[in-house]
Amino acid sequence: MTKSARKIHDITEKLLFSPLKKDSEYILELFDFFTSLPIEEDHQGDISLKNGIALSNKNASDCIKDYKRTATFLRGTYKSIMESTKRFPNIRLNILYAGCGPYATLLVPLLSFFEPKNINITLIDINQSSIASVKNLISKLGYEDYISDIIVADATQFQYPKNTPLHVVVTETMFHALTKEPQVAITQNLAPQLTEGGLLIPEEITISLGYSFFSKEPYLNQYDDTYQIANSANKNVKRETINKLFSLNKNERTNQKDLLHFFESKWHLIPENYEETPDICIYTHIKIFDTFQLQDADSLITNPYCLTSLYNLQDQNKFKIKYNTQNIPNWEITVS
Ligand SMILES: C[S@@+](CC[C@H](N)C(=O)[O-])C[C@H]1O[C@@H](n2cnc3c(N)ncnc32)[C@H](O)[C@@H]1O
């Protein structure tokens, strides 16, 4: 093991197995480790694609600091690979990491816990400098034997080799309420390419709708390098009529009404009294794998999202909402 590989192994070992669960401390160590390595200059910045924005390598690398996200994804991904070794015994697992960013953060720290003869990794990202950076990282760590390909590619179009079973897909290309980034389009392309019994990470993203007083909702606040839960005293903030809208997983189809809209809700009657819960909010829950989950305000990607205030819908009877994955994924509201 190289000196760098030993360092990342030791940090990850604490993260996975230490009972102390000092996530913010360990994740900062991981971030310092990664950012001590040279990163390729990014001439592209954030890239606007057909189904969402691909973050620049700097913005993608900053995602590491969303510490509960990173720690929970690492634990869940580790567990999913362990589970896959049981489901597919005595074969080398093929794992695809789509949108790996400059450090392949959700997989590279785990590699030293497996043998290269047992796992075969493909890394893809649309950002050229992220791919150049991750290539340098793999070479610095001496991890070439784990890797079959590191490619610049659009994960919404990428085709895994047809005659090779794909056992695990890992992708975290999302923002709260599935806005802005192309998680849905990437999942739609890659999940059907999994072999039977293969695992999608995250396993399930559930989107729900409810009424609340948005400015009282707890949320994870990022200020420079610190992440703190704002409104944490309001843990039991009043919420009304929470309805699941849809789940994104490897099987479920949504009630897609047309090509543009991935999801369209039923009509919701506008409540008569909404002084205490005047905002239409969307909540994101992520089951990464098994018990490894992110709840509201655990991370920037599960923060509550305010669609609009019910006061803006005065004089209307009902509304429905649609989620669209074209250009910049977002939510639309229609009233009647
Ligand atoms: C939110 S960042 C996450 C980076 C890293 N996976 C992590 O979890 O820390 C999303 C990454 O996905 C990449 N990405 C976004 N859309 C993509 C697409 N259509 N094809 C390939 N990569 C994409 C971005 O360039 C960025 O590196």
Side-chain angles (χ1 to χ4, degrees), residues 42-49 52-60 126-127:
D42 186 349
H43 300 289
Q44 293 173 289
D46 287 347
I47 308 166
S48 291
L49 300 164
I53 292 170
L55 299 185
S56 67
N57 75 11
K58 163 82 174 64
N59 288 340
I126 193 84
N127 183 297

Side-chain angles (χ1 to χ4, degrees), residues 50-51 188 256-264 322-327 329-330 332:
K50 216 173 89 216
N51 299 105
Q188 279 182 305
Q256 186 173 11
K257 290 279 162 53
D258 54 51
L259 279 178
L260 182 64
H261 294 107
F262 175 77
F263 169 83
E264 183 174 323
K322 296 178 184 180
Y323 173 71
N324 143 36
T325 61
Q326 309 293 306
N327 302 317
N330 68 354
E332 291 164 25

Side-chain angles (χ1 to χ4, degrees), residues 49 54-55 60 63 69 97 99 101 106 125-126 153-155 172-173 181-182:
L49 300 164
L55 299 185
C63 297
R69 176 207 79 110
Y97 184 0
L106 306 180
D125 202 287
I126 193 84
D154 183 345
E172 193 284 82
T173 41
E181 295 184 56

Side-chain angles (χ1 to χ4, degrees), residues 45 47 49-57 59-65 69-70 73 97-106 124-128 130 151-158 170-175 181-183 185-186 301:
I47 308 166
L49 300 164
K50 216 173 89 216
N51 299 105
I53 292 170
L55 299 185
S56 67
N57 75 11
N59 288 340
S61 89
D62 280 347
C63 297
I64 302 172
K65 291 184 284 182
R69 176 207 79 110
T70 306
F73 260 93
Y97 184 0
C100 60
Y103 306 124
T105 309
L106 306 180
I124 66 174
D125 202 287
I126 193 84
N127 183 297
Q128 291 177 1
S130 284
I151 330 168
V152 176
D154 183 345
T156 66
Q157 308 295 321
F158 180 77
V170 179
T171 189
E172 193 284 82
T173 41
M174 65 176 284
F175 199 43
E181 295 184 56
Q183 182 88 22
I186 291 176
I301 61 178

Side-chain angles (χ1 to χ4, degrees), residues 148-275:
S148 65
D149 268 315
I150 306 182
I151 330 168
V152 176
D154 183 345
T156 66
Q157 308 295 321
F158 180 77
Q159 293 298 311
Y160 200 73
K162 280 250 167 344
N163 45 5
T164 312
L166 178 55
H167 301 103
V168 182
V169 168
V170 179
T171 189
E172 193 284 82
T173 41
M174 65 176 284
F175 199 43
H176 61 348
L178 291 171
T179 55
K180 293 189 184 167
E181 295 184 56
Q183 182 88 22
V184 173
I186 291 176
T187 302
Q188 279 182 305
N189 177 43
L190 298 179
Q193 298 184 44
L194 280 165
T195 195
E196 199 171 339
L199 293 173
L200 172 68
I201 304 299
E203 266 191 306
E204 183 156 75
I205 300 171
T206 303
I207 298 292
S208 310
L209 175 82
Y211 308 121
S212 174
F213 209 119
F214 183 65
S215 61
K216 293 183 185 167
E217 283 273 355
Y219 68 98
L220 190 70
N221 192 20
Q222 175 193 9
Y223 184 72
D224 289 338
D225 269 356
T226 57
Y227 285 71
Q228 268 164 1
I229 299 187
N231 291 338
S232 55
N234 301 344
K235 243 180 156 180
N236 297 320
V237 62
K238 187 169 179 191
R239 290 177 180 171
E240 292 285 355
T241 330
I242 306 292
N243 276 315
K244 174 178 155 183
L245 294 179
F246 67 84
S247 280
L248 185 67
N249 58 39
K250 68 174 184 174
N251 303 316
E252 204 162 315
R253 304 189 85 76
T254 59
N255 56 341
Q256 186 173 11
K257 290 279 162 53
D258 54 51
L259 279 178
L260 182 64
H261 294 107
F262 175 77
F263 169 83
E264 183 174 323
S265 77
K266 62 180 172 81
W267 285 103
H268 293 267
L269 288 177
I270 295 176
E272 281 178 15
N273 299 312
Y274 47 78
E275 289 79 9

Side-chain angles (χ1 to χ4, degrees), residues 17-203:
F17 305 117
S18 152
L20 296 174
K21 299 276 177 289
K22 294 185 190 165
D23 286 356
S24 57
E25 192 180 302
Y26 303 150
I27 292 299
L28 205 55
E29 283 183 45
L30 202 58
F31 181 75
D32 289 343
F33 168 80
F34 282 136
T35 50
S36 68
L37 304 172
I39 191 166
E40 290 293 316
E41 200 177 334
D42 186 349
H43 300 289
Q44 293 173 289
D46 287 347
I47 308 166
S48 291
L49 300 164
K50 216 173 89 216
N51 299 105
I53 292 170
L55 299 185
S56 67
N57 75 11
K58 163 82 174 64
N59 288 340
S61 89
D62 280 347
C63 297
I64 302 172
K65 291 184 284 182
D66 189 349
Y67 63 91
K68 206 157 176 182
R69 176 207 79 110
T70 306
T72 315
F73 260 93
L74 280 169
R75 292 189 188 110
T77 306
Y78 174 76
K79 185 93 188 282
S80 75
I81 300 174
M82 296 299 286
E83 168 65 22
S84 299
T85 60
K86 287 185 210 144
R87 285 191 192 187
F88 305 102
N90 307 321
I91 50 172
R92 195 175 185 212
L93 294 175
N94 295 310
I95 303 176
L96 171 64
Y97 184 0
C100 60
Y103 306 124
T105 309
L106 306 180
L107 206 49
V108 156
L110 304 174
L111 296 185
S112 59
F113 295 85
F114 299 92
E115 295 285 330
K117 66 177 182 345
N118 295 330
I119 56 173
N120 176 47
I121 310 288
T122 302
L123 301 174
I124 66 174
D125 202 287
I126 193 84
N127 183 297
Q128 291 177 1
S129 62
S130 284
I131 288 298
S133 302
V134 89
K135 278 185 180 164
N136 290 342
L137 174 68
I138 295 297
S139 133
K140 170 105 185 153
L141 294 169
Y143 282 173
E144 291 87 346
D145 291 350
Y146 291 97
I147 309 287
S148 65
D149 268 315
I150 306 182
I151 330 168
V152 176
D154 183 345
T156 66
Q157 308 295 321
F158 180 77
Q159 293 298 311
Y160 200 73
K162 280 250 167 344
N163 45 5
T164 312
L166 178 55
H167 301 103
V168 182
V169 168
V170 179
T171 189
E172 193 284 82
T173 41
M174 65 176 284
F175 199 43
H176 61 348
L178 291 171
T179 55
K180 293 189 184 167
E181 295 184 56
Q183 182 88 22
V184 173
I186 291 176
T187 302
Q188 279 182 305
N189 177 43
L190 298 179
Q193 298 184 44
L194 280 165
T195 195
E196 199 171 339
L199 293 173
L200 172 68
I201 304 299
E203 266 191 306

Side-chain angles (χ1 to χ4, degrees), residues 277-328:
T277 53
D279 298 305
I280 303 178
C281 296
I282 295 180
Y283 301 100
T284 310
H285 173 262
I286 306 178
K287 180 180 182 190
I288 296 164
F289 183 70
D290 196 16
T291 54
F292 300 98
Q293 313 203 4
L294 293 171
Q295 314 287 348
D296 306 322
D298 275 347
S299 72
L300 297 181
I301 61 178
T302 54
N303 268 338
Y305 175 82
C306 179
L307 200 60
T308 189
S309 163
L310 287 162
Y311 285 106
N312 294 333
L313 312 186
Q314 275 172 4
D315 309 326
Q316 307 289 340
N317 283 324
K318 52 187 182 176
F319 71 89
K320 67 177 166 184
I321 60 172
K322 296 178 184 180
Y323 173 71
N324 143 36
T325 61
Q326 309 293 306
N327 302 317
I328 298 180

